[in-house]
Amino acid sequence: MAPERLSVVVTRRLPEPVETRMKELFDVELREDDTPMSRDELLGAMKRADVLVPTLTDQIDQSMLAAAGGKLKLIANYGAGVDHIDIHTARQRGVLVSNTPGVSADDTADMALALILAVTRRFPEGIRLMSEGKWEGWSPSGMLGHRIQGRRLGILGMGRIGQAVAARAKAFGMQVHYHNRKRLHAEIEERYEATYWESLDQMVARMDVLSINCPHTPSTFHLMNARRLKLMKPDAVIVNTSRGEVIDENALTRMLRAGEISGAGLDVYEHGAEINPRLRDLPSVVALPHMGSATHEGRIEMGEKVIINIKTFADGHRPPDQVVPGML
């Protein structure tokens, strides 16, 4: 007799190859449309599933975990970030949590470099000029931006994505600097010709471009607050492909509007899809709809990691990408 298959509930639509493979392996309940579940729908899913496959749009807090009951055993998150899940409460209630680290590093780093180029070379302004039919031809002083070769790039968070950004920046001739919770090994610094700054304040004050690549945790919330943003040079650019909560968005908006920071390239926002129109509409801001990891290849790889985590758990072992509080 075949062993009973795990019941799995997926909260959002995933790539077809991923959903099909899940259907082959598990007793899976797929989402019919791609809208986020309501809080009640999500709680219902947690109550009837052995394994929940959520995304960053699903807020799984202490009260939800307490009300979920005893059936749920694994939260196999579709994505690397887990700040939307109360990891501590999950652990206390015997619910394992896994994620999909490393998959989106290259895709997100590509987007960070794209945003750096887009802001410094004024891509959106050029596109608008052409689409509105207002370009009157080449001129020596027209649409002048800045080259990035030789400019100092400060990377806030030198993990997988931060290092991928460093590799690309080095190829573009940028000078790589970084601030991290822990200093990297000397051979890694040598690989990227990277300069370590123990003081974030000192690094921020000297950079031409600042790239945010750290996760959102209680200690990084508003890490780039009004005081620290004011340390940036007036001609500096800030790029964020990590989590919106790391930057005080209101303070950033005020400074950009006042010309105290030259520009910003943003793929994430402090309040999710609720973007301050005073920020979004600035010509010095390149705003994207959280596209950093949005490639067909990356999304399928993320799904494959989710499946491996669930299958390993089903076989009686700990998921290879298990997340524990000490990692945060």
Side-chain angles (χ1 to χ4, degrees):
M1 183 176 177
E4 185 177 350
R5 301 204 300 180
L6 287 175
S7 62
V8 177
V9 177
V10 181
T11 68
R12 297 293 293 269
R13 290 299 305 273
L14 303 182
E16 182 275 325
V18 176
E19 292 186 339
T20 300
R21 186 58 180 150
M22 283 186 170
K23 200 74 174 175
E24 293 168 350
L25 292 172
F26 315 116
D27 180 13
V28 65
E29 179 184 318
L30 300 173
R31 186 76 168 155
E32 291 297 327
D33 57 53
D34 198 30
T35 58
M37 285 185 170
S38 67
R39 187 176 177 87
D40 287 343
E41 287 177 321
L42 184 58
L43 181 56
M46 293 168 68
K47 288 180 177 179
R48 64 180 179 272
D50 297 310
V51 180
L52 183 76
V53 181
T55 71
L56 60 86
T57 58
D58 302 305
Q59 295 297 320
I60 302 173
D61 55 27
Q62 183 180 29
S63 63
M64 294 192 73
L65 285 161
K71 184 173 174 62
L72 183 65
K73 294 295 186 291
L74 171 65
I75 298 174
N77 189 58
Y78 182 81
V82 292
D83 50 296
H84 56 292
I85 302 170
D86 188 333
I87 304 294
H88 294 273
T89 300
R91 186 175 179 85
Q92 291 170 359
R93 300 191 64 83
V95 178
L96 302 183
V97 178
S98 64
N99 67 343
T100 60
V103 172
S104 61
D106 285 326
D107 295 328
T108 305
D110 286 346
M111 189 62 75
L113 258 292
L115 283 169
I116 291 170
L117 282 166
V119 176
T120 56
R121 295 300 302 272
R122 302 172 63 184
F123 286 2
E125 294 169 83
I127 292 169
R128 280 195 296 271
L129 197 65
M130 297 300 290
S131 64
E132 294 171 1
K134 295 181 179 178
W135 185 54
E136 297 178 352
W138 181 86
S139 117
S141 59
M143 293 301 301
L144 296 181
H146 292 279
R147 65 172 56 152
I148 64 172
Q149 181 181 8
R151 303 193 88 192
R152 293 184 187 132
L153 169 67
I155 298 174
L156 175 49
M158 198 69 157
R160 289 186 181 92
I161 297 175
Q163 290 181 41
V165 171
R168 286 154 176 77
K170 183 179 176 231
F172 274 86
M174 301 188 80
Q175 299 175 29
V176 177
H177 299 249
Y178 78 98
H179 172 83
N180 206 43
R181 185 169 54 177
K182 294 181 180 179
R183 184 169 185 172
L184 301 177
H185 293 298
E187 59 268 25
I188 300 177
E189 289 187 351
E190 185 177 350
R191 182 186 310 158
Y192 305 118
E193 299 178 16
T195 300
Y196 171 69
W197 292 84
E198 184 176 358
S199 166
L200 177 58
D201 285 0
Q202 290 181 9
M203 183 183 82
V204 164
R206 291 164 172 82
M207 296 300 107
D208 300 304
V209 181
L210 182 66
S211 178
I212 309 299
N213 300 108
C214 62
H216 170 225
T217 67
S219 62
T220 63
F221 176 76
H222 280 192
L223 189 60
M224 291 303 299
N225 54 24
R227 181 193 67 79
R228 199 163 270 136
L229 287 167
K230 285 184 180 295
L231 297 176
M232 295 181 68
K233 300 192 297 183
D235 61 351
V237 165
I238 188 167
V239 167
N240 190 4
T241 54
S242 176
R243 286 290 186 265
E245 295 90 341
V246 178
I247 300 177
D248 182 337
E249 197 166 286
N250 285 333
L252 176 64
T253 301
R254 289 194 302 270
M255 293 187 66
L256 285 164
R257 293 183 69 84
E260 296 172 331
I261 297 176
S262 177
L266 306 173
D267 190 42
V268 289
Y269 309 92
E270 185 173 349
H271 304 291
E274 298 177 13
I275 306 168
N276 184 341
R278 288 167 57 84
L279 173 68
R280 182 190 60 213
D281 297 338
L282 284 170
S284 60
V285 172
V286 179
L288 297 178
H290 204 156
M291 294 167 56
S293 62
T295 66
H296 292 286
E297 299 84 356
R299 292 286 193 257
I300 291 173
E301 286 181 31
M302 286 167 64
E304 289 170 348
K305 269 188 173 283
V306 169
I307 290 169
I308 290 171
N309 282 317
I310 299 173
K311 189 69 172 66
T312 304
F313 175 75
D315 292 340
H317 306 289
R318 290 190 176 275
D321 299 310
Q322 183 181 351
V323 179
V324 296
M327 298 167 60
L328 304 178

